[in-house]
């Protein structure tokens, strides 16, 4: 029995009437009159209204538009889930499309278009589709749509960014209009995690023209201008009851961080992605704005291509790795919004992180030894960086100063954000990349370190690594799987052709009246899923 007389004063029906009246905009006086009608004394009624007002204030409200700016855009922006390549694409995709599964705040895969899924051996999977789901054009969701959406990644003509994941799939077949079987070449206990990533969004069977963005997501496309602007409208038939809350989302790409912050503080934008740590104090100094922080596995990596000079010189690579003063960079460049990394991509929060690998530290003597062994001398060595790859210009400047102490001449080649990913990433002999968080160890290792992977910007190839990756993916025993991932981290640390000095926290800024943001640590903007969660406070 309740110890609070105010709770017993009203029955469930009357309590619901009070909450609904407040939610519809009734005044305090009107609600007090309502309570007087059920015989409640003024003092008790006033206390109940105060509690009810707090409850209603915490409820998501419907309506309004959210104006958002991401940090990237280009004429290569796409609505095709198979070709998504930057955070603007990712966020737009999460608005338009849904996957079979989705992530919760702990990156555990949850049912989405598949209301349940099951396996007995991690090789044969069965997905049961949610009934009553339709695409934006009214077409009902069918198992054939799932078959088409997954199998198109395997077709060379698709040129899918996720082909390396889809290659794990042996077959996909419809068992009924609402049931799909996925058969893998080898067991993969993390398949539901893979299928929650934005590339594996479900589209209508046979779709080849993606300019309309037809999906089953929380928003439908109203306008799409590549490299400039997208406008999304609330999907009233979205399969998640009650979502989304806002009527429209207007999204643009704005590569200049200062311009993003200025537009937010002037009221021209409501939410901006990827602010610089130096802007945090400026944003938080205004009570009308907030900074949303997410610590995750995002990192910027210096890739030294293993198939050309100077990266094919192992001593040069080791010298570069030993020149990073990681703790100092975390403090002076990231201003504390990062943690030290160890030249491999597994974040310490990951359950497969190997804690037995000694941390690589700044060591000028060892760096000088390896650089002298490389025989490269004082000739300038170009290092390609860009503001669009987080902290890479600043880290290169710090690296330059340290390199001079051992006689190494690094030449910073600062490239503009526009076109950096298509023109320079993975193409430069020594250059920076930036990797957004991935949902599990298999995803980041497969996409960025497996031989032949499109994201393998160091062009590193090792058949033994590929074998270990396959074995880990197939291993059901958790302890054995952890040992395999440990071996792979050691291989990348020692041979991988990359320097990964930091894991970077994502920093987004927003109007204080925008509510609903919470952590989904697979990227900024709430894992790019902000749109179906946010709402405007009164």
């Amino acid at each position: 029995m309740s110890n609070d007389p105010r709770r017993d004063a009203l029955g469930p029906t009357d309590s619901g009437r009070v909450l609904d009246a407040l939610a519809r905009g009734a005044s305090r006086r009107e609600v007090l009159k309502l309570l007087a009608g059920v015989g409640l004394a003024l003092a008790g009624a006033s206390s109940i209204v105060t509690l009810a007002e707090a409850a209603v204030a915490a409820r998501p409200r419907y309506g309004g538009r959210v104006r958002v700016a991401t940090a990237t855009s280009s004429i290569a922006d796409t609505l095709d889930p198979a070709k998504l390549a930057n955070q603007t694409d990712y966020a737009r995709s999460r608005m338009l499309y849904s996957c079979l599964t989705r992530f919760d705040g702990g990156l555990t895969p949850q049912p989405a278009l598949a209301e349940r899924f099951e396996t007995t051996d991690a090789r044969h999977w069965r997905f049961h589709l949610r009934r009553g789901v339709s695409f934006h054009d009214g077409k009902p969701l069918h198992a054939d749509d799932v078959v088409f959406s997954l199998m198109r990644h395997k077709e060379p003509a698709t040129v899918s960014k996720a082909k390396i994941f889809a290659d794990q799939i042996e077959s996909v077949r419809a068992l009924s209009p609402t049931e799909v079987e996925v058969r893998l070449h080898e067991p993969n206990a993390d398949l539901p995690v893979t299928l929650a990533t934005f590339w594996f969004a479900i589209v209508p069977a046979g779709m080849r023209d993606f300019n309309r963005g037809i999906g089953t997501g929380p928003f439908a496309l109203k306008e799409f201008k590549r490299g400039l602007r997208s406008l999304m409208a609330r999907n009233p038939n979205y399969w998640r009851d009650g979502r989304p809350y806002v009527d429209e989302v207007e999204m643009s790409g704005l590569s200049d961080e200062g311009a993003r912050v200025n537009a937010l503080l002037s009221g021209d934008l409501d939410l901006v992605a990827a602010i610089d740590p130096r802007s945090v104090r400026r944003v938080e100094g205004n009570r009308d704005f907030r900074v949303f922080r997410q610590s995750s596995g995002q990192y910027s990596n210096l890739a030294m291509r293993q198939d050309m000079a100077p990266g094919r010189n192992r001593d040069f690579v080791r010298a570069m790795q030993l020149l990073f003063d990681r703790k100092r960079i975390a403090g002076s460049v990231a201003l504390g919004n990062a943690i030290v990394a160890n030249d491999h991509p597994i974040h310490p929060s990951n359950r497969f992180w190997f804690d037995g690998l000694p941390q690589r530290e700044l060591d000028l003597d060892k760096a000088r030894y390896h650089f002298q062994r490389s025989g490269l001398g004082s000739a300038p060595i170009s290092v390609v960086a860009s503001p669009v790859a987080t902290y890479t210009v600043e880290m290169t400047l710090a690296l330059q100063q340290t390199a001079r102490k051992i006689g190494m001449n690094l030449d910073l080649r600062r490239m503009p954000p526009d076109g950096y990913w298509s023109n320079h990433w993975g193409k430069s002999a020594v250059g920076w990349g930036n990797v957004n968080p991935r949902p599990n160890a298999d995803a980041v290792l497969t996409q960025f370190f497996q031989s032949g992977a499109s994201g393998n910007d160091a062009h590193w190839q090792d058949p033994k690594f590929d074998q270990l990756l396959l074995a880990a993916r197939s291993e059901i025993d958790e302890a054995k799987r952890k040992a395999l991932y440990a071996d792979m981290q050691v291989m990348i640390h020692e041979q991988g052709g990359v320097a990964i000095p930091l894991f970077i926290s994502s920093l987004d800024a927003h109007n204080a009246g925008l509510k609903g943001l919470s952590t989904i640590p697979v990227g900024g903007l709430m894992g790019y899923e902000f749109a179906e969660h946010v709402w405007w406070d009164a």
Side-chain angles (χ1 to χ4, degrees):
M1 180 176 292
S2 171
N3 293 321
D4 188 344
R6 295 173 299 181
R7 294 185 181 180
D8 296 328
L10 293 179
T13 300
D14 290 328
S15 297
R17 289 173 62 194
V18 170
L19 292 172
D20 288 343
L22 287 169
R24 290 195 304 269
S27 68
R28 186 179 182 88
R29 177 177 295 179
E30 290 169 335
V31 177
L32 287 171
K33 185 177 180 180
L34 172 67
L35 293 177
V38 298
L40 194 66
L42 180 62
S46 182
S47 298
I48 288 173
V49 173
T50 298
L51 292 174
E53 286 175 333
V56 169
R59 279 184 173 183
R61 299 172 184 269
Y62 289 93
R65 173 187 283 196
V66 178
R67 300 160 301 171
V68 185
T70 61
T72 58
S73 65
S74 77
I75 58 172
D77 284 357
T78 181
L79 301 178
D80 183 346
K83 295 178 169 58
L84 308 176
N86 60 52
Q87 69 172 198
T88 308
D89 284 346
Y90 303 154
R92 188 168 40 232
S93 175
R94 286 306 198 196
M95 287 186 257
L96 295 175
Y97 305 109
S98 301
C99 298
L100 290 176
T101 53
R102 64 182 181 87
F103 296 118
D104 64 14
L107 298 186
T108 301
Q110 300 294 333
L113 293 183
E115 62 183 0
R116 71 181 192 278
F117 46 89
E118 61 217 18
T119 184
T120 56
D121 59 3
R123 185 184 173 201
H124 301 84
W125 291 83
R126 189 163 293 189
F127 294 85
H128 302 267
L129 302 185
R130 194 177 298 275
R131 298 175 186 271
V133 177
S134 60
F135 290 95
H136 298 146
D137 60 1
K139 176 187 176 297
L141 175 68
H142 190 280
D144 290 342
D145 302 313
V146 176
V147 175
F148 171 80
S149 299
L150 300 188
M151 292 300 288
R152 68 184 292 260
H153 294 281
K154 294 174 66 69
E155 301 171 5
T158 302
V159 195
S160 171
K161 298 286 187 181
K163 185 177 186 302
I164 198 160
F165 299 117
D167 284 344
Q168 302 171 24
I169 298 173
E170 180 180 309
S171 65
V172 184
R173 66 187 181 110
L175 303 179
S176 75
T178 60
E179 196 172 356
V180 177
E181 179 193 69
V182 179
R183 183 190 298 260
L184 306 178
H185 291 291
E186 301 289 344
N188 183 353
D190 280 344
L191 179 65
V193 175
T194 300
L195 296 184
T197 57
F198 27 70
W199 294 291
F200 289 99
I202 304 304
V203 299
M207 177 174 280
R208 302 295 178 187
D209 180 1
F210 289 89
N211 289 321
R212 293 173 60 203
I214 301 297
T216 61
F219 292 85
L221 186 69
K222 286 185 69 174
E223 181 182 325
F224 175 49
K225 294 182 179 179
R226 282 182 175 82
L228 296 175
R229 176 179 181 266
S230 303
L231 183 61
M232 315 290 184
R234 184 179 189 272
N235 175 12
N237 301 313
Y238 185 43
W239 55 268
R240 291 188 74 184
D241 289 342
R243 305 290 181 97
Y245 304 113
V246 298
D247 294 329
E248 291 186 332
V249 176
E250 180 183 0
M251 187 167 66
S252 57
L254 191 57
S255 59
D256 187 309
E257 188 269 348
R260 289 197 303 278
V261 173
N262 287 338
L264 174 73
L265 298 180
S266 67
D268 293 328
L269 291 170
D270 307 309
L271 172 63
V272 297
I275 69 167
D276 189 282
R278 292 170 179 81
S279 299
V280 168
R281 181 176 297 179
R282 183 181 173 207
V283 172
E284 293 187 330
N286 189 319
R287 66 180 183 180
D288 294 327
F289 301 95
R290 301 285 186 272
V291 173
F292 177 59
R293 294 172 171 84
Q294 280 195 151
S295 179
S296 60
Q298 179 185 1
Y299 63 85
S300 291
N301 64 294
L302 182 63
M304 294 158 277
R305 286 186 55 164
Q306 301 293 283
D307 58 346
M308 62 173 62
R312 66 161 64 104
N313 187 314
R314 178 103 314 254
D315 282 296
F316 167 72
V317 173
R318 180 66 75 247
M320 291 290 281
Q321 292 170 328
L322 290 165
L323 286 175
F324 283 96
D325 190 343
R326 298 161 197 259
K327 292 179 181 178
R328 182 168 177 267
I329 292 173
S332 63
V333 174
L335 300 182
N337 294 290
I339 63 172
V340 169
N342 198 19
D343 298 333
H344 69 77
I346 306 302
H347 188 270
S349 65
N350 190 294
R351 71 184 192 276
F352 294 121
W353 177 65
F354 178 41
D355 61 1
L357 186 60
Q359 175 64 52
R360 184 166 282 145
E361 306 278 1
L362 171 68
D363 192 322
L364 290 178
D365 290 336
K366 287 184 179 179
R368 183 180 294 106
Y369 166 78
H370 284 288
F371 183 59
Q372 289 175 350
R373 276 176 54 99
S374 74
L376 293 174
S378 60
I381 299 170
S382 296
V383 179
V384 177
S386 173
V388 76
T390 308
Y391 303 149
T392 61
V393 172
E394 296 87 347
M395 286 193 288
T396 305
L397 289 170
L399 201 61
Q400 270 185 322
Q401 296 178 6
T402 310
R404 291 192 189 104
K405 298 177 181 178
I406 67 166
M408 184 188 292
N409 182 8
L410 297 181
D411 176 26
L412 169 61
R413 302 284 304 280
R414 176 174 175 151
M415 300 299 173
D418 292 343
Y420 182 77
W421 301 116
S422 57
N423 297 328
H424 301 286
W425 177 60
K427 297 180 173 64
S428 306
V430 181
W432 287 94
N434 182 257
V435 174
N436 291 309
R438 291 302 188 265
N440 59 3
D442 180 73
V444 69
L445 295 175
T446 297
Q447 194 171 6
F448 298 100
F449 293 93
Q450 183 174 338
S451 299
S454 61
N456 188 340
D457 51 0
H459 296 250
W460 177 60
Q461 298 189 44
D462 191 311
K464 182 181 177 182
F465 178 89
D466 298 340
Q467 292 169 6
L468 289 172
L469 183 60
L470 182 62
R473 186 183 302 144
S474 305
E475 181 56 64
I476 305 298
D477 185 281
E478 188 87 352
K480 293 179 180 178
R481 200 175 183 203
K482 187 167 186 176
L484 292 168
Y485 281 126
D487 289 343
M488 285 184 275
Q489 289 168 68
V490 172
M491 291 181 70
I492 294 171
H493 180 269
E494 294 300 318
Q495 307 162 27
V498 295
I500 302 176
L502 303 175
F503 287 111
I504 302 164
S505 298
S506 65
L507 301 172
D508 305 322
H510 62 95
N511 186 298
L514 189 67
K515 306 297 185 180
L517 290 170
S518 61
T519 296
I520 300 180
V522 284
L525 297 174
M526 197 176 168
Y528 311 109
E529 295 186 18
F530 72 94
E532 71 173 282
H533 298 276
V534 297
W535 49 279
W536 283 110
D537 197 2

